[in-house]
Amino acid sequence: MSLPTVRDYCMLEKIGAGSYSTVYKAFRKDGSQEVVAIKCVDKGSLSKSAVDNLVTEIKLLNVLKHEHIVEMKDFFWDEGHIYIVMEYCDGGDLSNFIKKKHKLPESTCRRFLQQLALALKYLRDHNVCHMDLKPQNLLLMRKPQLVLKVGDFGFAQYLSNSEHKFTIRGSPLYMAPEMLLKHKYDARVDLWSVGVIMYECLFGKAPYSSSSFQELAEKIKDSRPIEMPKAAHVSATCKDLLMALLKHNPANRITYDEFFAHDFLDLEHAPTKENYEKAAALVHKAVEMDTEKNAKEAFYLYCEALRYFIPILTDESDIKRKEVLRHRISDYIRRAETLKVAFMPQDENIGKRPAPENKGNASSLQRIPSLEKSSAFTYNELRVLSKSTTNMVDALEIGEVAEQYLAEGNYALTLEKFQSCLSVLVPLLGKEPAGRRRDLLHKQVIR
C-alpha cells in the first residue's frame, strides 16, 4: 500500500484508521526531523456532523496545551484532504497496553488515573467535556518515561454541569447510561467513562462487556449491579473510587471536585513540576526554621515537603536525577528524625500541628495530615531508607510481587512469596536499631 505525499513531511507508516481518517507516523523534512503523527481526513467522506466535529477538534486542540493532552502541532489542507499534525506517542494506546499485560497492578492503574485526572482537571477549568474517553483514545509516551495523554477530541464540546444535551456521542461500551438511554446529560458523562476505564485497567475487561449493542443496552437499562471479579483484590480507597464513578444515576455519581480530591488519586501530591517547586519551597522554609532553632516547625515543614518529594522520586525515570533526589530525600528524612527527637517527649500528638499561638499569623502553624495515614508514602519512604541494605531491598521487591499475585487471585504463589519476603524481613527487624526505619519496617511486617 502506497503512502500519501504530504508537503514538508516524509510519511513512514500507517498507525491507525477511523471512519473518515487515517493516521500515519511521519517526520519533518527540515533539519529537526521531528517524528510526528499525521491525521489525514478525506474531505469527500465527511458528513455535515463530521465536519462540525473536525472544526471543533481543531479549535479545541489549538487552545488546549497540557502535559497529559496530545499536542496539536499544525494543521493544513489540500484539495482532497485535511491534515492534523499531532505529537507522536511511541507507546501506542492504553487499550493495547492492557491487552498485553492482561490487567494492571493497582499502583500502575493509580498512576494512569492520576495523569488522566490532571488532564480532566485542566479540561474542566476550560469548560470542556471530552465525551469519548476510552482506552483507545488514551495514548502512551514511553520515553523518557511512561506517560498517559488524552487524545482524539472529535466528540469534545464546551459543556458545563448545568447544560443538557441529547445527542449520542462516543463509544457505547464506555458511554454513560444517561447518554446511552437518550436521557438528559451533562459533563458528568466523562466520570462514568473514567470508571469503566479504571475497571478495565484493574480487571482486564469492561464491567458490561457484551457481545452486541443490544445486550449492552439491556444491561444498562436494567441498571445491573456492577461487581468486581470474585478473585480480585483491590485496596479500600481504590474500590471506593471505582464504585463512586460507576453510579448509574448521575445525581449519585461522584462530583468532579470529589473525584479530584479523592485519596486514591492524591492529586495534591502528584509528581508535577508545580509540586516539585512546592516541595523545594517547603524545604527552603524548613532550613530557615531549623537555623532559627524552631525544631517543631522545621520538622513539620520537612514532612510536608517529603509528601511531595516521594511521588516525584518514584516517578523519576532518569537514573542520575533519581539518585541525586534519593540522597536529598534521605537527608531530609534523617534531619526530620533528628528534629522529632528534640521535641517528641513534650508532644504526644506528633501527627498534628498545634493551634497557632499568634492568631494574627494563622498560616504559620496549621494542621497537616499525618504521614502515617498514607501507606503508599510510608512504603516508599521505607524503600528509600532501605537502599543501604541489599537484603531488605530484595525482600521488599518480593513483597511487591506477592501483592501482585494476591491481586490476580493466585493465593498459592502469594503465600509462597510472602513467606519468602517475611523470612528476610523478620530477622532484619530483630536486628534493626530504634529509629524511623525500624518503625516503618515494623509496620510493613505486620501488614
Side-chain angles (χ1 to χ4, degrees):
M1 174 182 162
S2 62
L3 298 173
T5 302
V6 180
R7 65 180 175 89
D8 300 330
Y9 294 92
C10 179
M11 306 296 253
L12 298 175
E13 60 178 314
K14 176 182 172 181
I15 56 176
S19 54
Y20 59 85
S21 65
T22 306
V23 183
Y24 298 92
K25 180 180 178 182
F27 69 86
R28 291 185 187 274
K29 291 179 181 177
D30 62 18
S32 70
Q33 293 196 328
E34 179 188 14
V35 177
V36 296
I38 300 182
K39 184 176 182 177
C40 302
V41 183
D42 182 0
K43 284 183 181 179
S45 66
L46 293 178
S47 62
K48 184 182 182 304
S49 62
V51 171
D52 291 341
N53 288 343
L54 186 63
V55 169
T56 301
E57 180 178 15
I58 292 172
K59 284 182 177 178
L60 282 172
L61 288 173
N62 205 34
V63 173
L64 301 174
K65 304 295 178 185
H66 188 269
E67 61 183 320
H68 294 299
I69 293 176
V70 177
E71 180 187 359
M72 183 181 76
K73 294 179 174 291
D74 192 11
F75 73 93
F76 50 90
W77 58 91
D78 57 25
E79 289 184 3
H81 294 84
I82 298 169
Y83 304 96
I84 304 177
V85 183
M86 308 291 297
E87 174 183 17
Y88 175 67
C89 297
D90 61 352
D93 62 48
L94 183 60
S95 178
N96 285 325
F97 189 83
I98 295 171
K99 286 174 184 173
K100 288 176 184 175
K101 305 286 184 180
H102 302 296
K103 51 188 173 181
L104 308 183
E106 186 176 315
S107 58
T108 305
C109 177
R110 177 190 286 108
R111 183 177 182 182
F112 284 151
L113 210 66
Q114 193 178 60
Q115 295 174 354
L116 175 56
L118 289 169
L120 288 178
K121 196 171 191 302
Y122 177 83
L123 292 179
R124 292 302 303 143
D125 290 342
H126 287 75
N127 200 31
V128 173
C129 185
H130 189 279
M131 295 211 281
D132 193 20
L133 290 175
K134 56 184 178 180
Q136 293 88 340
N137 288 341
L138 302 178
L139 304 182
L140 300 177
M141 190 80 81
R142 289 189 178 276
K143 295 176 182 178
Q145 59 190 3
L146 194 61
V147 171
L148 178 144
K149 292 175 179 276
V150 179
D152 200 335
F153 282 74
F155 289 129
Q157 294 286 315
Y158 286 106
L159 188 67
S160 71
N161 281 327
S162 60
E163 292 181 282
H164 296 87
K165 305 286 182 179
F166 294 95
T167 309
I168 289 184
R169 294 170 174 270
S171 305
L173 193 58
Y174 303 91
M175 196 180 291
E178 61 268 30
M179 187 186 285
L180 196 67
L181 299 175
K182 300 183 180 180
H183 296 163
K184 289 182 179 181
Y185 65 82
D186 55 35
R188 287 173 291 185
V189 294
D190 275 356
L191 291 172
W192 171 275
S193 301
V194 173
V196 178
I197 292 165
M198 183 179 178
Y199 191 102
E200 190 169 340
C201 283
L202 290 167
F203 310 123
K205 61 179 181 179
Y208 284 140
S209 294
S210 306
S211 57
S212 66
F213 175 79
Q214 185 177 358
E215 182 186 347
L216 172 66
E218 284 300 317
K219 290 177 180 178
I220 293 287
K221 189 176 181 180
D222 294 343
S223 294
R224 297 224 188 138
I226 291 173
E227 299 175 347
M228 296 195 303
K230 292 180 180 179
H233 173 80
V234 297
S235 68
T237 54
C238 178
K239 182 178 179 180
D240 179 77
L241 177 58
L242 182 62
M243 293 300 124
L245 288 164
L246 294 176
K247 295 288 187 188
H248 291 80
N249 185 344
N252 299 329
R253 198 173 300 152
I254 192 172
T255 67
Y256 275 99
D257 287 343
E258 290 167 342
F259 173 62
F260 297 139
H262 199 278
D263 287 345
F264 181 72
L265 297 179
D266 193 21
L267 286 192
E268 183 184 355
H269 302 103
T272 63
K273 181 182 177 182
E274 292 77 15
N275 282 346
Y276 180 88
E277 291 169 356
K278 283 182 185 178
L282 285 165
V283 165
H284 180 75
K285 187 66 176 174
V287 172
E288 283 185 3
M289 292 295 101
D290 204 350
T291 303
E292 295 173 12
K293 307 299 182 185
N294 189 338
K296 183 179 289 189
E297 181 66 3
F299 167 75
Y300 284 118
L301 286 165
Y302 276 123
C303 286
E304 284 185 89
L306 286 166
R307 287 179 69 84
Y308 291 103
F309 271 133
I310 295 292
I312 291 168
L313 174 65
T314 304
D315 191 62
E316 181 58 65
S317 60
D318 185 275
I319 295 174
K320 290 183 179 178
R321 284 201 299 266
K322 196 181 189 85
E323 196 58 32
V324 169
L325 186 56
R326 181 182 290 115
H327 283 302
R328 286 175 61 192
I329 289 173
S330 297
D331 289 341
Y332 300 150
I333 291 171
R334 282 194 293 269
R335 186 57 191 157
E337 277 299 305
T338 302
L339 291 167
K340 184 175 72 172
V341 171
F343 67 87
M344 180 71 171
Q346 289 78 40
D347 190 353
E348 296 297 327
N349 194 13
I350 199 70
K352 299 176 181 178
R353 292 188 179 192
E357 294 177 10
N358 180 1
K359 294 182 180 179
N361 186 19
S363 63
S364 64
L365 283 174
Q366 297 172 336
R367 290 189 174 192
I368 62 168
S370 170
L371 295 179
E372 303 302 330
K373 291 182 181 178
S374 171
S375 60
F377 178 89
T378 53
Y379 177 75
N380 283 322
E381 187 181 347
L382 179 58
R383 286 292 300 269
V384 171
L385 292 174
S386 69
K387 291 299 178 182
S388 60
T389 310
T390 305
N391 289 353
M392 194 180 296
V393 175
D394 294 342
L396 289 172
E397 289 178 355
I398 292 171
E400 282 189 275
V401 173
E403 293 279 4
Q404 177 58 33
Y405 282 132
L406 181 62
E408 294 171 358
N410 193 331
Y411 301 117
L413 281 173
T414 297
L415 181 60
E416 177 188 325
K417 294 297 181 183
F418 272 135
Q419 286 176 334
S420 178
C421 170
L422 292 173
S423 68
V424 177
L425 293 184
V426 171
L428 286 174
L429 179 61
K431 298 176 183 177
E432 185 70 22
R436 179 66 174 168
R437 192 169 84 160
R438 190 184 192 286
D439 293 342
L440 294 176
L441 184 56
H442 181 258
K443 289 178 184 294
Q444 193 66 27
V445 167
I446 65 175
R447 275 185 70 217

